[in-house]
Amino acid sequence: MARKTEIPSSYYGEPQKFDPTFRGPIHNRSCTDVLCCVIFIIVILGYIALGTVAWIHGDPRKVVYPTDSNGQFCGQQGTPHANKAILFYFNILHCANPAVLINLQCPTTQLCVSKCPDRFATYTDMQYNYRFNKSYWEYYRQFCKPGFDNPWKSAAQVLRDEDCPSMLVPSRPFLQRCFPDFITRNGTLTVANKTNFQDGLGKTRSVTDLRDAANGITALLDAKEVGIKIFEDYASSWYWILIGLVITMVVSLLFILLLRFTAGVLLWLVIFGVIAAVGYGIWHCYWEYSVLQGKPDADVTISDIGFQTDFRVYLQLSQTWLIFMISLAVIEAVIVLMLIFLRRRVRIAIALLKEGSKAIGYIMSTLFYPIITFFLLAVCIAYWAVTAVFLASSGDAVYKVMSTQPKCQYTNLTCDPETFNKTNVTKVCPGAQCTFAFYGGESVYHRYIFILQLCNLLIFLWLVNFTIALGQCTLAGAFASYYWALKKPADIPACPLFASFGRAIRYHTGSLAFGALILSIVQFFRIILEYLDRKLKGAHNAFARFLLCCLKCCFWCLEHFIKFMNRNAYIMIAIYGKNFCTSARDAFFLLMRNVVRVAVLDKVTDFLLFLGKLLISGSVGVLAFFFFTRKIPVIQEEVPSLNYYWVPLLTVIFGSYLVAHGFFNVYAMCVDTLFLCFCEDLERNDGSAGKPYFMSPGLHKILRKAEQPSKQYSVS
């Protein structure tokens, strides 16, 4: 026969000893992890210093404004180029692709102009027509170097000195740069209704030469047009988007309040509501698919039509509805299987959620704490972004020799524009110029800008994780105050959220920073691995790709494990006021002693909360769909005119999920805290008059009944 052997409690760490005076979060506590707190403060001061240095040396105008060949900004107020905000290329045929135009430099003179050319013209034609009409020169000269006013100068000398461009091409501004105005007519690429043009050097060129020189510009211009339309949609529908998010907030708040009184009924309604909604979606997709099967144009695949800005095009394809139907069927199967295998655990999860609803009902201020977290995260993101921009724009103008001759030995060498004409470079390489290349420098600061950017990223991750940790510890302290109140709500202390926030800042900044630092380092290495993975996408070394994939997988698992442990460590810190390592160890062993209950908490409750978020965001999304597609007769006239109705629709759906996620995150933190307090309560007390349980009788009954087998283990 199998002999039952009791596994000693030391195997999972010693449980807490009974303390008759323990009544929840300890108020008489001392500072923890002081060294890490000091380091954290020093790093913040250093981060401020880094931002200050970047602000002194950086110049965001280098990012905002394009720069001409002399290193001057186009369109900057208070300069001679204030009214010349567009960059013009003398000979765009010298530019290989748009990446060269936008990010690097093109080996041709670049000039700030007020508008782009709107007609074809050449310098030789201008000289000929100038004899009869002076206006030809007045138009052409605005694309020549400032101060040049000699239309009789020979074309060969003008082109040699690059005083004026050899040709003008009808263009329009994009990214504050003049690009050829491509238009496709009847499948033929044209510029100003022409397919050929003169380049001013005696050659007839095809418009396709311009297309090759500006490869991809047409797609970029189309993307710009789509962006403008999307911006217009946001401008006309932002009010209704905001109303949708407010509705989500109200529904989420009501949902949490209703859970307090009807947790069981409401959660089962959510479960079956989601199952029914997904089932209806499967039926509707099948119906659409069967209707389109008989239409000849519906058999086209999605890959054949490519990307279309009008999503209604995809809805006319049978393949689209087949993909939707299969996806929904998989989701339905997963939900049903989870309910079948976890049906006994659902009652436990509902009991925990109901207790969490009571806690939130007594401490309603916790629902609005995510606003503080959002504000602090916004400050961190804004400071990081500004510092990154100033660091990227640090440095002085660097000039290099640009020559159209491929064999020029001085090409790409640094030069000084003030002394360039005195050198022999122009003699060896006729037509070479000393033009602006980029911003940089040779000082220690400029040499280590990349390192400073990495530091900026690491500290940013640290601050973000610290902000999240502060929110988790604050909420845990507030909810622990509720649990350890023997007579609820009479024994709940006044202002538990504010008191918990004060304790976390005053005593445990170092502990929170310690946990945040560990997580930030792992995330930092994950970002580096993602960067290396992108760099090695074209590599043929299979072993390197495999090793990188394994590392990414390991760090992903490590990050999620650390997040889980940090979350529970912060709860223990909020309750007992111990340092991070001790709290993490106590939390780990406490969870190990209740490993079956942990599975209940992390799987079932998270699943139910996810269904709640899905139901709320999906319901608001359906309402938004009927509204923006004018299918609600009562308010059809109020619907704004839109280019793409899916723009505000997707914004409402995604925003609704984020709003619901913010509310339910508080709920999840409440459940996690109550669960750990429940485990502590079981180990500290036995339900007698001398050691009464702090949990509610209903919660104790259902949890003890379902989890009794987890207290013993047997071996054969």
Side-chain angles (χ1 to χ4, degrees):
M1 293 180 61
R3 181 172 55 89
K4 291 186 177 180
T5 303
E6 192 77 21
I7 296 180
S9 60
S10 59
Y11 182 82
Y12 294 123
E14 290 293 336
Q16 295 286 343
K17 295 181 179 180
F18 173 69
D19 181 5
T21 64
F22 182 77
R23 288 294 183 270
I26 298 174
H27 297 278
N28 297 325
R29 53 182 75 195
S30 58
C31 297
T32 56
D33 295 306
V34 178
L35 178 61
C36 192
C37 179
V38 173
I39 295 175
F40 184 60
I41 294 174
I42 293 174
V43 168
I44 291 178
L45 295 176
Y47 197 32
I48 296 174
L50 174 61
T52 304
V53 173
W55 181 79
I56 294 174
H57 290 86
D59 190 350
R61 296 175 302 176
K62 301 168 185 176
V63 179
V64 177
Y65 302 106
T67 310
D68 67 5
S69 296
N70 296 320
Q72 298 177 336
F73 301 119
C74 299
Q76 181 188 353
Q77 297 297 323
T79 66
H81 297 320
N83 298 323
K84 300 178 179 180
I86 308 171
L87 192 66
F88 170 72
Y89 296 89
F90 267 32
N91 193 340
I92 198 171
L93 294 174
H94 290 164
C95 308
N97 53 61
V100 173
L101 292 176
I102 298 171
N103 298 321
L104 303 175
Q105 288 297 313
C106 182
T108 187
T109 300
Q110 299 157 40
L111 192 70
C112 296
V113 296
S114 58
K115 63 179 181 179
C116 295
D118 58 4
R119 68 194 74 167
F120 280 110
T122 64
Y123 187 80
T124 53
D125 290 341
M126 182 278 302
Q127 281 190 321
Y128 176 79
N129 292 318
Y130 177 70
R131 303 173 184 176
F132 312 103
N133 191 340
K134 306 297 183 183
S135 63
Y136 280 91
W137 169 242
E138 293 301 323
Y139 176 79
Y140 207 94
R141 68 182 296 183
Q142 57 186 327
F143 303 106
C144 298
K145 287 183 177 179
F148 180 75
D149 191 12
N150 185 8
W152 297 112
K153 186 176 180 180
S154 66
Q157 292 179 335
V158 169
L159 299 180
R160 182 197 63 189
D161 300 334
E162 292 203 15
D163 294 321
C164 293
S166 63
M167 63 175 179
L168 299 180
V169 176
S171 307
R172 55 175 168 171
F174 177 65
L175 300 177
Q176 292 185 268
R177 291 158 174 83
C178 290
F179 290 128
D181 189 7
F182 295 113
I183 299 176
T184 302
R185 296 185 182 277
N186 298 323
T188 303
L189 188 68
T190 65
V191 174
N193 295 325
K194 292 185 177 181
T195 57
N196 298 295
F197 63 95
Q198 299 294 323
D199 65 356
L201 301 176
K203 295 181 180 180
T204 300
R205 307 294 290 264
S206 172
V207 170
T208 55
D209 295 334
L210 289 175
R211 182 195 61 190
D212 295 338
N215 185 29
I217 294 301
T218 305
L220 291 174
L221 291 174
D222 291 340
K224 182 189 178 185
E225 292 179 359
V226 173
I228 292 174
K229 291 181 179 180
I230 291 176
F231 179 79
E232 292 174 351
D233 288 343
Y234 277 126
S236 59
S237 63
W238 68 269
Y239 180 75
W240 296 105
I241 293 174
L242 188 61
I243 290 177
L245 298 181
V246 171
I247 292 175
T248 304
M249 184 178 68
V250 174
V251 172
S252 301
L253 185 60
L254 291 176
F255 187 88
I256 291 176
L257 293 178
L258 287 174
L259 280 176
R260 179 181 178 184
F261 305 102
T262 59
V265 176
L266 192 60
L267 286 172
W268 282 114
L269 285 176
V270 169
I271 293 171
F272 289 112
V274 171
I275 293 175
V278 176
Y280 171 79
I282 295 173
W283 175 84
H284 183 77
C285 292
Y286 174 76
W287 182 79
E288 292 282 356
Y289 174 76
S290 60
V291 169
L292 293 173
Q293 277 290 87
K295 296 183 179 180
D297 296 335
D299 295 333
V300 181
T301 62
I302 296 177
S303 59
D304 291 336
I305 65 173
F307 175 75
Q308 301 291 329
T309 56
D310 189 356
F311 279 14
R312 287 173 292 189
V313 175
Y314 297 107
L315 299 181
Q316 305 302 319
L317 305 179
S318 59
Q319 187 186 54
T320 302
W321 293 104
L322 179 62
I323 293 174
F324 286 163
M325 182 176 64
I326 294 175
S327 301
L328 291 176
V330 171
I331 295 174
E332 185 87 332
V334 170
I335 295 175
V336 172
L337 287 176
M338 289 188 67
L339 288 175
I340 291 175
F341 289 104
L342 299 174
R343 62 187 184 278
R344 295 183 179 179
R345 305 295 182 184
V346 171
R347 291 182 61 227
I348 306 170
I350 290 175
L352 284 171
L353 292 172
K354 188 173 183 179
E355 194 71 17
S357 299
K358 292 181 181 179
I360 293 176
Y362 289 127
I363 315 175
M364 289 291 294
S365 57
T366 54
L367 289 175
F368 302 98
Y369 184 84
I371 298 176
I372 299 176
T373 301
F374 175 79
F375 173 76
L376 294 176
L377 289 176
V379 171
C380 293
I381 294 172
Y383 189 86
W384 166 78
V386 171
T387 303
V389 169
F390 273 91
L391 283 173
S393 60
S394 297
D396 301 322
V398 175
Y399 298 86
K400 289 192 174 184
V401 177
M402 296 290 179
S403 175
T404 57
Q405 298 182 7
K407 296 183 179 180
C408 179
Q409 59 182 335
Y410 296 101
T411 300
N412 289 330
L413 294 181
T414 56
C415 58
D416 185 352
E418 296 182 358
T419 61
F420 181 73
N421 292 331
K422 300 178 182 179
T423 63
N424 65 339
V425 177
T426 54
K427 298 178 181 178
V428 178
C429 304
Q433 289 190 333
C434 183
T435 60
F436 167 79
F438 56 86
Y439 291 97
E442 298 299 329
S443 65
V444 176
Y445 170 77
H446 294 108
R447 285 199 299 266
Y448 289 97
I449 282 182
F450 179 73
I451 303 298
L452 294 177
Q453 286 282 25
L454 293 179
C455 294
N456 181 34
L457 175 62
L458 179 59
I459 300 174
F460 163 71
L461 294 174
W462 194 1
L463 291 175
V464 167
N465 287 315
F466 174 81
T467 301
I468 296 174
L470 177 62
Q472 292 176 344
C473 189
T474 299
L475 292 174
F479 293 129
S481 299
Y482 161 83
Y483 184 92
W484 295 108
L486 187 59
K487 297 180 180 179
K488 303 175 178 65
D491 291 343
I492 299 177
C495 304
L497 182 67
F498 180 78
S500 178
F501 180 80
R503 290 194 299 269
I505 289 291
R506 181 177 178 182
Y507 298 109
H508 307 303
T509 297
S511 298
L512 301 180
F514 189 16
L517 177 61
I518 297 173
L519 180 59
S520 301
I521 293 174
V522 175
Q523 292 174 337
F524 182 74
F525 280 108
R526 277 201 67 196
I527 293 175
I528 293 177
L529 289 175
E530 290 290 343
Y531 173 78
L532 293 176
D533 184 47
R534 290 182 178 274
K535 288 293 184 181
L536 293 175
K537 277 191 180 295
H540 300 287
N541 191 330
F543 176 76
R545 301 267 314 160
F546 171 77
L547 180 61
L548 190 61
C549 183
C550 292
L551 289 174
K552 287 173 59 179
C553 179
C554 292
F555 272 92
W556 182 88
C557 296
L558 180 60
E559 179 185 355
H560 283 73
F561 175 75
I562 291 176
K563 282 183 177 180
F564 174 77
M565 289 307 305
N566 281 5
R567 185 182 181 93
N568 290 281
Y570 299 147
I571 296 174
M572 300 299 283
I573 290 173
I575 297 175
Y576 295 107
K578 298 180 181 179
N579 60 48
F580 176 79
C581 293
T582 302
S583 299
R585 182 198 63 194
D586 293 343
F588 176 76
F589 286 126
L590 180 62
L591 294 173
M592 288 298 294
R593 293 193 298 269
N594 298 271
V595 64
V596 178
R597 297 190 183 106
V598 172
V600 174
L601 177 71
D602 286 342
K603 303 301 180 185
V604 183
T605 56
D606 288 349
F607 176 65
L608 292 178
L609 291 177
F610 171 73
L611 290 182
K613 290 183 284 187
L614 195 65
L615 182 64
I616 291 175
S617 58
S619 301
V620 176
V622 170
L623 179 63
F625 172 78
F626 285 118
F627 174 78
F628 288 116
T629 54
R630 300 177 182 270
K631 293 184 178 181
I632 304 179
V634 181
I635 53 175
Q636 278 186 348
E637 297 180 357
E638 301 294 333
V639 180
S641 179
L642 300 171
N643 297 298
Y644 311 118
Y645 73 87
W646 51 265
V647 171
L649 176 61
L650 292 180
T651 304
V652 169
I653 294 175
F654 182 70
S656 297
Y657 185 84
L658 290 181
V659 171
H661 181 71
F663 279 97
F664 281 87
N665 254 4
V666 175
Y667 211 110
M669 195 67 202
C670 177
V671 173
D672 288 349
T673 303
L674 296 181
F675 173 74
L676 281 186
C677 291
F678 165 78
C679 295
E680 283 285 294
D681 197 7
L682 287 180
E683 294 185 350
R684 286 179 173 275
N685 307 306
D686 56 10
S688 63
K691 296 188 290 183
Y693 287 125
F694 285 81
M695 72 187 78
S696 64
L699 179 65
H700 170 248
K701 181 180 178 180
I702 193 169
L703 284 172
R704 291 289 288 178
K705 182 179 179 180
E707 299 299 332
Q708 191 67 32
S710 66
K711 301 296 286 184
Q712 291 184 344
Y713 298 83
S714 62
V715 294
S716 298

